[in-house]
Amino acid sequence: MNNKRLYRAELIVRFGHIDEAGIVYYPRLVNYFHVAMEEFFGAVLGTDYPSFLSEHRLGLPAAHLEVDFLRPLRYGDHIQVEVGIEKVGTSSIIWRYRIFRPGETDPAALARIVTVNVDMDTFQKKAVPDWLRQCLEAYR
Amino acid sequence: MNNKRLYRAELIVRFGHIDEAGIVYYPRLVNYFHVAMEEFFGAVLGTDYPSFLSEHRLGLPAAHLEVDFLRPLRYGDHIQVEVGIEKVGTSSIIWRYRIFRPGETDPAALARIVTVNVDMDTFQKKAVPDWLRQCLEAYR
Amino acid sequence: MNNKRLYRAELIVRFGHIDEAGIVYYPRLVNYFHVAMEEFFGAVLGTDYPSFLSEHRLGLPAAHLEVDFLRPLRYGDHIQVEVGIEKVGTSSIIWRYRIFRPGETDPAALARIVTVNVDMDTFQKKAVPDWLRQCLEAYR
Amino acid sequence: MNNKRLYRAELIVRFGHIDEAGIVYYPRLVNYFHVAMEEFFGAVLGTDYPSFLSEHRLGLPAAHLEVDFLRPLRYGDHIQVEVGIEKVGTSSIIWRYRIFRPGETDPAALARIVTVNVDMDTFQKKAVPDWLRQCLEAYR
């Protein structure tokens, strides 16, 4: 992940994100990647994700997900979720995420998520539109 | 809540329902009332809640909610969520819930929730249909 | 709620907050009040809520909750959650919340939440400390 | 996954599990695997997961997760989450999950989750105890 643009979303681990073991419940940690993608749309693409769905009538459901949980996240952690693009295929996008706690250079979690671009009216896959492809390529 | 039929949904407090303080996160406890209502539909009404929405095109959003949290719920608690009806109005239904831990006669939580019967296509309120009213009256 | 200081937390309705009916799932809306309280601690009190728990060894579980759901919240809504204090008792605090959508002067939801100040080691109630009482009184 | 014992947990897709796109929010789908593991402990091991944590003082945080989302899950789906064991290492356990909708022989989702056995007091990894290893081997 060198020599390229990266986006970092700033999130806070909330009271209700913790589980019985006192760390972030891992399915809720997976949620951070989706929230970071939502922030990425709002911050760096010309349209936010709600408009992507309602106006462009497109959506990006996940088809595949891989996560490495390297260090536990705890209540109150102000985390950064780095968003990068591995590949933009015909209708798929491969996202890369890394979660950092402030002051740490080793990530607390890594993820690789494959999303498929779908038509929200038919839920059938559809080519990634050029405007989105161009924006995403800058983060590859 | 005497001399009437009551329904009890059996739920389990899950690992991910706990918060930093080691008890059920209270917004997630509120979720138990909705799940109990879903179970109530499936078990005692002639239609389940998914069909109520998709076939009858009706929904029951909450308009008002009151909850008393009397004792904390902990991970692994097998709880019973008692469902009763306080009143069936023209388009509103007032639900009463009590959460019990096994072997305890004092409730861990009490709730009173007012739902409005709405047309799912317009989100406008609509009279509670007679078949539903009759079913609910048996639990009043 | 006039002539007094109010705090407003800025939150965004996320993709995963929505339910089958296409609006914010009401138990998840209740979560917004807790997040707003967490933001209030970090922004206006001299200590954030994680430190309140871990260093002061105090916690604020909810004992009672009342919510009016007045207008549905939808995906992407940038909401403001106004936090005010109704009363600071010996060991209880009564919080008032109002949720607004931008540009709207009528609230989308109102809440009144009674929390009890507890010792996090014993979970027994404990007098609200003076430093907290003074900070809260400014928002009453 | 042939010629071996498999456990199937029965879960229901709830109203609040759905996202803006009308299908199960994928981080919430990941939660189903944890719930299925909790059910597996209660049903087939000699101890439930709450006791595993509180009495054995052991826990199973996830270190790695891979999920394939093959078909969307919708509100009201009565799903079966099949639990199998790929490998029991010194301190790690590799779990395999498959989610089925009733009447379908093709899975809706597949997962492979690596958990690490840890001492709940120190959060350091610890050898999988023999009694657990033996129980798990029957599902490999």
Side-chain angles (χ1 to χ4, degrees):
Chain A
M1 290 184 128
N2 292 317
N3 296 327
K4 65 171 186 181
R5 288 165 77 182
L6 289 165
Y7 172 74
R8 286 191 170 198
E10 316 262 343
L11 302 179
I12 300 174
V13 173
R14 297 295 183 185
F15 191 76
H17 295 175
I18 300 302
D19 63 22
E20 174 70 10
I23 62 174
V24 171
Y25 184 49
Y26 76 79
R28 220 162 282 131
L29 192 150
V30 171
N31 171 62
Y32 295 158
F33 304 123
H34 199 285
V35 173
M37 186 188 79
E38 293 177 67
E39 290 280 286
F40 176 84
F41 262 78
V44 310
L45 304 178
T47 187
D48 62 10
Y49 198 58
S51 305
F52 186 68
L53 291 161
S54 62
E55 292 166 27
H56 295 262
R57 304 297 305 151
L58 297 172
L60 296 174
H64 180 74
L65 168 69
E66 287 164 56
V67 189
D68 289 295
F69 304 96
L70 304 171
R71 299 142 180 266
L73 297 178
R74 297 194 185 276
Y75 176 44
D77 282 352
H78 284 63
I79 57 172
Q80 291 194 315
V81 187
E82 185 187 88
V83 184
I85 301 295
E86 180 181 315
K87 188 186 167 190
V88 185
T90 307
S91 60
S92 68
I93 301 165
I94 306 180
W95 305 76
R96 289 277 190 175
Y97 298 92
R98 298 197 299 175
I99 296 181
F100 292 92
R101 289 190 295 192
E104 295 188 354
T105 50
D106 291 329
L110 301 174
R112 182 174 176 271
I113 301 181
V114 182
T115 61
V116 180
N117 190 60
V118 299
D119 182 309
M120 281 299 284
D121 296 309
T122 64
F123 242 71
Q124 296 301 304
K125 69 182 180 185
K126 200 170 172 179
V128 175
D130 286 342
W131 66 267
L132 179 59
R133 181 182 302 276
Q134 283 176 358
C135 291
L136 293 174
E137 287 288 350
Y139 288 82
R140 196 165 62 89
Chain B
M1 290 185 130
N2 293 317
N3 297 326
K4 65 171 185 180
R5 288 166 78 182
L6 290 164
Y7 172 73
R8 286 191 170 199
E10 317 261 341
L11 303 180
I12 300 174
V13 173
R14 297 296 183 184
F15 191 76
H17 295 175
I18 300 302
D19 63 22
E20 174 71 10
I23 62 175
V24 172
Y25 184 49
Y26 76 79
R28 219 162 283 130
L29 192 150
V30 171
N31 171 62
Y32 294 158
F33 304 123
H34 198 285
V35 173
M37 186 189 79
E38 293 178 68
E39 290 280 287
F40 176 84
F41 262 79
V44 310
L45 303 179
T47 187
D48 61 11
Y49 197 58
S51 305
F52 186 69
L53 291 160
S54 62
E55 292 167 26
H56 295 262
R57 303 298 306 151
L58 296 172
L60 297 175
H64 180 74
L65 169 69
E66 287 164 54
V67 188
D68 289 296
F69 304 96
L70 305 171
R71 298 141 180 266
L73 297 178
R74 297 194 184 275
Y75 176 44
D77 282 352
H78 284 63
I79 58 172
Q80 291 194 314
V81 187
E82 185 187 88
V83 183
I85 302 294
E86 181 181 315
K87 188 185 167 190
V88 185
T90 306
S91 61
S92 68
I93 301 164
I94 305 178
W95 305 76
R96 289 277 191 176
Y97 299 91
R98 298 198 297 174
I99 296 181
F100 292 92
R101 288 190 296 193
E104 294 188 355
T105 49
D106 291 329
L110 302 174
R112 182 173 177 272
I113 300 180
V114 182
T115 61
V116 180
N117 190 59
V118 299
D119 182 311
M120 281 299 284
D121 297 310
T122 63
F123 243 70
Q124 296 301 306
K125 69 183 180 183
K126 200 170 171 178
V128 174
D130 286 342
W131 67 268
L132 179 59
R133 180 181 302 276
Q134 283 176 359
C135 292
L136 294 173
E137 287 288 350
Y139 288 81
R140 197 165 62 89
Chain C
M1 290 185 126
N2 291 318
N3 296 328
K4 65 171 184 179
R5 289 164 77 182
L6 290 165
Y7 172 75
R8 286 191 169 199
E10 316 263 342
L11 302 180
I12 300 174
V13 173
R14 298 295 184 185
F15 190 74
H17 295 176
I18 300 302
D19 64 22
E20 174 71 10
I23 62 173
V24 171
Y25 184 48
Y26 76 79
R28 220 162 282 129
L29 191 150
V30 171
N31 172 61
Y32 294 158
F33 303 124
H34 199 285
V35 173
M37 186 189 77
E38 294 179 66
E39 290 280 289
F40 176 83
F41 263 79
V44 310
L45 304 178
T47 188
D48 62 10
Y49 197 59
S51 306
F52 186 69
L53 292 161
S54 62
E55 293 167 24
H56 295 262
R57 304 297 306 152
L58 297 172
L60 297 175
H64 181 73
L65 169 68
E66 287 163 55
V67 188
D68 288 296
F69 304 96
L70 305 171
R71 297 141 181 268
L73 297 177
R74 298 195 184 273
Y75 178 44
D77 282 352
H78 284 62
I79 57 173
Q80 291 195 313
V81 187
E82 183 187 87
V83 184
I85 302 294
E86 180 181 315
K87 188 186 167 191
V88 186
T90 305
S91 60
S92 68
I93 301 164
I94 306 178
W95 305 75
R96 289 277 191 177
Y97 299 91
R98 299 197 297 175
I99 295 181
F100 291 92
R101 288 190 295 192
E104 294 188 355
T105 50
D106 291 329
L110 301 174
R112 183 174 175 272
I113 301 182
V114 182
T115 62
V116 180
N117 190 59
V118 299
D119 182 311
M120 280 299 283
D121 297 309
T122 63
F123 243 71
Q124 296 301 305
K125 69 182 179 183
K126 201 171 170 176
V128 174
D130 285 343
W131 67 267
L132 179 59
R133 180 181 302 277
Q134 282 175 1
C135 291
L136 295 174
E137 287 288 350
Y139 289 82
R140 197 165 61 88
Chain D
M1 290 185 126
N2 291 318
N3 296 326
K4 65 171 185 178
R5 289 164 77 181
L6 290 165
Y7 172 74
R8 286 192 170 198
E10 316 263 341
L11 302 180
I12 300 173
V13 173
R14 297 296 183 183
F15 190 75
H17 295 176
I18 299 303
D19 63 22
E20 174 70 10
I23 64 175
V24 171
Y25 184 49
Y26 76 79
R28 220 161 283 130
L29 191 149
V30 171
N31 172 62
Y32 294 158
F33 304 124
H34 199 285
V35 173
M37 186 189 78
E38 294 178 66
E39 290 280 286
F40 176 83
F41 262 79
V44 311
L45 304 178
T47 188
D48 61 11
Y49 198 58
S51 306
F52 186 68
L53 291 161
S54 62
E55 293 167 24
H56 295 262
R57 306 296 306 152
L58 296 172
L60 297 174
H64 180 73
L65 168 69
E66 287 163 54
V67 188
D68 289 296
F69 303 96
L70 305 171
R71 297 141 181 269
L73 297 178
R74 297 194 184 275
Y75 177 44
D77 281 353
H78 285 63
I79 58 173
Q80 291 194 313
V81 187
E82 185 187 85
V83 184
I85 302 294
E86 180 181 315
K87 188 186 167 191
V88 185
T90 305
S91 60
S92 67
I93 301 164
I94 305 178
W95 305 76
R96 288 277 191 177
Y97 299 90
R98 299 198 297 175
I99 295 181
F100 293 92
R101 288 190 295 192
E104 295 188 354
T105 50
D106 291 329
L110 301 174
R112 183 174 174 272
I113 301 182
V114 182
T115 61
V116 181
N117 190 59
V118 299
D119 182 311
M120 281 298 284
D121 297 310
T122 63
F123 243 72
Q124 296 301 304
K125 70 182 179 184
K126 201 171 170 177
V128 174
D130 285 344
W131 68 266
L132 179 58
R133 181 180 302 275
Q134 283 177 0
C135 291
L136 294 174
E137 287 289 351
Y139 288 82
R140 196 166 61 89

